[in-house]
Amino acid sequence: MKINSTGKSDPGLIRSNNQDAYYIDPEDRFFIVADGMGGHAGGEQASRIATQEIQTYLTENWNASKSSEQLLEEALLKANEAILLDQQSHPERADMGTTVVAIIFRDTELPWCAHVGDSRLYRFRDSQLEQITEDHTWVARALKMGDITSDEARIHPFRHVLSRCLGREDLHQVDVKQVEVIAGDRLLLCSDGLTEELADQTISSYLQENPGGDKAAYSLIESAKEHGGHDNITVVIVTVE
């Protein structure tokens, strides 16, 4: 399938550095967004390690006799191992970690996505926005169990508490799933700097108003900044032609 893609990252209006990272494969085979945490240097390092390790592993093993599901899961677990090794070498970064979301388009099969944390993958089709990934957060679990409402979730004091991220010894598996796509679909990978400021309905309206990837990415980030820009903001938009 033919794919067009674009990516943009911005530090936002409050933070002096950008702890997000993203990677777009030059051949449009895979796409990654990571959102680091753990202090100024730690967050930047964790997201950088994650994107670099995943990119390297996918590139080196792209033609291996592994299923796409296995390839993607192993890539994220390798990234986790690399962050743990860096923590051991640099005790000052012992608390660093990162969320990550990635999607791969391999051979003629439908794409596969994997994620850890609250960086998200959305699919935009026929003017409807659908969240494909499920946040690994306390709030997401409480919402799923019916303990809180969606309105409460957006302002809950625990909304940033992650139940899973890269950079933890107890991470032994990641969520991997196949994504159904058709021509005309747009896939949005983003850090929570976007979704913290903009509701899904607002994100959907910007994608609807801006069919071009570059303009949509720019508009989403500028809107997130207009709504506060409290965190780093990263978006990658993948259009299936």
Side-chain angles (χ1 to χ4, degrees):
M1 61 184 69
K2 185 179 178 181
I3 294 169
N4 286 324
S5 61
T6 189
K8 184 174 176 59
S9 188
D10 192 285
L13 300 179
I14 306 299
R15 301 193 177 188
S16 59
N17 65 315
N18 194 343
Q19 298 183 49
D20 287 0
Y22 74 93
Y23 182 82
I24 294 177
D25 175 57
E27 299 178 38
D28 282 335
R29 297 174 299 176
F30 54 87
F31 308 87
I32 310 163
V33 167
D35 179 0
M37 66 204 76
H40 183 99
E44 287 187 18
Q45 183 75 351
S47 61
R48 183 194 65 80
I49 291 173
T51 53
Q52 181 176 321
E53 288 293 324
I54 294 170
Q55 177 262 320
T56 299
Y57 190 82
L58 290 177
T59 300
E60 292 179 350
N61 294 275
W62 193 256
N63 295 316
S65 57
K66 301 173 183 284
S67 68
S68 295
E69 182 179 12
Q70 179 185 5
L71 179 68
L72 196 49
E73 181 177 29
E74 289 178 355
L76 268 66
L77 292 177
K78 287 289 184 183
N80 187 60
E81 292 173 7
I83 294 172
L84 291 173
L85 286 173
D86 190 86
Q87 290 173 347
Q88 294 171 12
S89 302
H90 302 276
E92 70 276 11
R93 297 200 289 261
D95 291 332
M96 74 174 179
T98 186
T99 69
V100 68
V101 58
I103 188 165
I104 64 174
F105 291 77
R106 196 169 179 227
D107 303 322
T108 58
E109 65 182 359
L110 290 171
W112 287 80
C113 77
H115 84 291
V116 177
D118 59 0
S119 290
R120 294 178 179 177
L121 172 69
Y122 288 93
R123 179 178 58 209
F124 185 69
R125 175 190 295 172
D126 295 333
S127 304
Q128 298 296 317
L129 187 70
E130 178 183 359
Q131 183 178 336
I132 302 299
T133 54
E134 184 176 304
D135 295 349
H136 297 139
T137 61
W138 182 93
V139 162
R141 179 174 177 80
L143 182 61
K144 187 175 183 179
M145 297 294 292
D147 296 332
I148 60 175
T149 67
S150 57
D151 288 338
E152 291 172 334
R154 286 195 59 80
I155 59 173
H156 200 283
F158 292 168
R159 65 188 182 279
H160 300 301
V161 177
L162 297 174
S163 58
R164 201 185 303 179
C165 69
L166 296 186
R168 299 295 179 265
E169 292 184 356
D170 60 355
L171 180 68
H172 303 299
Q173 66 178 36
V174 300
D175 287 358
V176 185
K177 65 189 298 185
Q178 198 164 33
V179 183
E180 189 268 327
V181 296
I182 59 175
D185 284 354
R186 279 193 284 175
L187 301 171
L188 170 67
L189 295 81
C190 62
S191 63
D192 71 340
L194 180 74
T195 54
E196 179 70 13
E197 305 293 358
L198 303 181
D200 285 5
Q201 184 177 359
T202 304
I203 295 173
S204 179
S205 66
Y206 275 100
L207 290 173
Q208 179 70 26
E209 295 167 7
N210 300 282
D214 289 339
K215 189 172 181 181
Y218 175 82
S219 297
L220 285 169
I221 286 181
E222 289 305 305
S223 180
K225 290 164 67 176
E226 290 171 2
H227 283 76
H230 295 92
D231 200 354
N232 309 144
I233 313 154
T234 300
V235 300
V236 170
I237 298 175
V238 182
T239 303
V240 181
E241 298 290 343

